Amino acid sequence: SNDIAQTNDGILWIGTYAGLYRYNGREFRWMDDYESVRNVNCLYVDEEGRLWIGTNDNGLSICINEQISNVVDQSKGLPSNSVRAIIQSSDGYYYVGTTGSMQVLTLNTGLKRVNVLSEVVYANHMAADQDGHVAAVTNDGTLYLLQRGKIICSRRLIETQTDFKSCVFTEEGELLVATTGNEIFRFSIEQGAFELLSVRTCEGLQNIKTLYWLQNGELFICADNGIAYLTAEGEYERVNTNNFNNSIDNMLVDYQGNLWFTSSRLGLLRLAPSDFRDIYSAAGMDNR
């Protein structure tokens, strides 16, 4: 699985290289009737409840009430048919990262192209705050700050062996940026620039793929070799997922509080809340 999203009706959508799957809480259904969706890189649900589907070779599809309403591909001005990341800024712009340049769209009275950011090539991860900022991390490890469809500034790691990999904004508007190693950089956005506040090392993790911020202040950290989380008080703890510990790319907390994790190599994992404590698992022992 490559990505997972939840629409306002509680339906989960799982994007894979084999296509798009719909989960209603009981069964998975392959959505083979969407002709424009044959494989999926990324998913995004906007504030209106529309499902944006970024494919690997057929551009971008927008789904409303489980019907495809728009398809945007290279024939309609998209820089590349391979879409890697999609996000909406708080002031209404849609940023679409492709393996080529980044496309900026609006969807007020129909879909309109606003700008192409030719410098932002192969944006894999994006995050948005409440002040119209979007942070984007490209495949070469460059971190960009975007606003009103334009580039405000950029930053790279120069003196280290690692690159920026993924990012998320906190409720307070601080930006957390993970690296291809196991560090998390914390920035504030001051007058259109990144101001470094701190750097934290996540012991035991390798190549952090995704950061997922919860409104209670907890942070989940998905990496190449497992999952960890930081409590609101800053306590760090690994999450025992047994053999589900490879290439964990994305996660989601659904409306019931279940944790869903996608792995490009292992598929999909759901962790459900339980009143019971597995002593063997808590102690890191094999089940017997």
Side-chain angles (χ1 to χ4, degrees), residues 124-125 137-142 156-157 160-166 177-185 205-210 222-225:
N124 269 324
H125 291 273
V137 182
T138 56
N139 204 41
D140 67 356
T142 305
R156 291 203 64 176
L157 291 174
T160 67
Q161 298 296 313
T162 58
D163 292 317
F164 290 129
K165 180 72 175 179
S166 60
V177 188
T179 71
T180 52
N182 60 356
E183 306 91 11
I184 297 177
F185 285 67
L205 294 185
Q206 299 168 9
N207 188 22
I208 297 173
K209 292 290 192 72
T210 306
C222 302
D224 247 352
N225 64 331

Side-chain angles (χ1 to χ4, degrees), residues 3 8 83 104 133 206 248 284:
D3 206 355
N8 297 346
V83 177
V104 186
H133 297 115
Q206 299 168 9
I248 300 167

Side-chain angles (χ1 to χ4, degrees), residues 2 20-21 39 51 72 78 89 111 115 127 157 178 188 230 241 282:
N2 293 328
L20 181 68
Y21 288 81
N39 47 56
L51 177 66
V72 184
L78 198 66
S89 62
L111 202 60
N115 201 3
L157 291 174
S188 62
L230 278 169
T241 53

Side-chain angles (χ1 to χ4, degrees), residues 134-149:
V134 165
V137 182
T138 56
N139 204 41
D140 67 356
T142 305
L143 172 65
Y144 287 93
L145 184 64
L146 315 171
Q147 192 173 30
R148 296 185 184 90

Side-chain angles (χ1 to χ4, degrees), residues 186-201:
R186 183 181 289 263
F187 295 100
S188 62
I189 308 299
E190 303 290 344
Q191 297 173 341
F194 300 109
E195 191 72 33
L196 182 61
L197 302 176
S198 64
V199 181
R200 177 166 193 139
T201 301

